[in-house]
Amino acid sequence: MTMSKPPVLDQPIQGGSLLAALDSLLADDLAAVERILWNELESDQPCVKDILQHATRFRGKRLRPILVLLSARACGEVNETHRLLAAVVEMIHIATLVHDDVLDEASTRRHVATVNARWNNETSVLFGDYLFTHAFHLASELPTSHACRIIGRATNKVCEGELTQIHERGNLDLNEETYFKIINGKTAELTAVSAYLGAHYADQPVEVVNAVEAYGRKLGLAFQIADDLLDIVGVEKKTGKTLGSDLKKQKLTLPIIRLLATATPADAASIRDLLSHPEDETAGQLREYLHKSDALEYTSQTAHKLVEEACEHLNVLPASQARHWLCEIARFSVERSF
């Protein structure tokens, strides 16, 4: 396959241009990942084929497999192990999305119906489990069990993060420390392990692998903070998914935690009342308080600071096109508005 020439690197790339550049840079490897993924998931059952086909419509930007491949390239070369593991992390990510939509009672993702909306919760739970089991079956094909252990541990932490978030629903005294523990598990763990796999299976020394993993973790934290901000102030037509689920489920995120911490006693009492009785209008009512506080700016600055720290971790690697794109991905993750 002949790849088109990637864009020049002297300007930050955003949105579709960034994704097009990455698709161009990693075209052959991403195509190989797709073949591995669908060969593993192939089924003779028509109902399973139908769900799989539907799930392809809300897979998103393939961030986790791209992190595996791009980290590998920044550390050396992409090999067949990287391609296989990129397919594994993508399966795990899709599984978490399917389960998340059940937890959030979400009806749309990427402008299409979620699995639970089109079918039912039972189908969603079983389909997510189906993806998890296939992911570990595929990872078991490697000569050693190291990847299975690392990915298994990461998946455990993802579940711990989600369980903690459910446990803390309705806790209007949730602090930033606990919030960061939650998002470190539910989101950052999988981006961290994706970057780790790229560096580790490129035979890099432990200090380099650790730095690349730290990049992935900071990226994941920033990405989730930006997502939480969009859940409150985003527009569903742009994001393509159900918004406001955090408020409806009484899950406190950084903008609200900051708002409560800095509000006057009178405003804090009104905000707590709104949060305690969430309705469709709650997000709109909260925006009045958010816009007269520093909560939105504080949340955005926190995400941007994490992005810069993520890029600093990559300084252990030689300058390259791949390292450049890793930083661009991190910056794009907090500047998206869809």
Side-chain angles (χ1 to χ4, degrees), residues 233-295:
V233 299
V235 178
E236 286 197 8
K237 287 184 179 179
K238 290 185 177 181
T239 62
K241 66 178 183 177
T242 303
L243 296 180
S245 59
D246 291 337
L247 294 175
K248 290 175 184 175
K249 292 291 184 179
Q250 295 182 296
K251 296 187 290 188
L252 261 64
T253 55
L254 188 58
I256 304 301
I257 293 170
R258 176 67 178 181
L259 177 61
L260 284 170
T262 57
T264 65
D267 281 352
S270 298
I271 294 165
R272 284 173 176 269
D273 185 61
L274 287 172
L275 294 171
S276 298
H277 307 90
E279 299 176 351
D280 291 341
E281 300 79 18
T282 300
Q285 293 169 326
L286 282 173
R287 283 173 189 163
E288 177 185 345
Y289 295 101
L290 286 164
H291 286 303
K292 71 177 185 179
S293 76
D294 74 340

Side-chain angles (χ1 to χ4, degrees), residues 176-215:
E176 285 192 26
E177 181 182 3
T178 304
Y179 167 78
F180 272 97
K181 287 180 180 178
I182 289 169
I183 67 170
N184 183 58
K186 64 174 280 187
T187 302
E189 190 63 35
L190 195 52
T191 53
V193 81
S194 298
Y196 168 91
L197 293 169
H200 176 80
Y201 286 98
D203 296 325
Q204 289 295 307
V206 65
E207 61 270 17
V208 172
V209 174
N210 289 343
V212 175
E213 180 183 23
Y215 153 83

Side-chain angles (χ1 to χ4, degrees), residues 12 18 22 59 90 136 158 187 213 217 266 332:
L18 171 63
L22 292 173
R59 284 181 55 202
E90 179 70 344
F136 286 102
V158 171
T187 302
E213 180 183 23
R217 191 170 302 281
F332 170 64

Side-chain angles (χ1 to χ4, degrees), residues 30-44 48-60 62 65 83-84 86-88 90-91 94-95 98 127 130-131 134-135 138:
L30 285 171
V33 170
E34 290 294 302
R35 288 193 295 271
I36 293 168
L37 188 152
W38 295 114
N39 284 342
E40 172 64 29
L41 294 177
E42 186 176 6
S43 173
D44 294 330
V48 177
K49 286 184 177 182
D50 192 21
I51 300 167
L52 284 167
Q53 182 63 34
H54 183 75
T56 65
R57 300 173 63 191
F58 55 76
R59 284 181 55 202
R62 299 181 292 179
R83 298 181 189 100
L84 183 147
V88 169
E90 179 70 344
M91 278 187 243
I94 301 169
V98 171
F127 179 58
Y130 177 84
L131 293 167
H134 271 283
L138 182 58

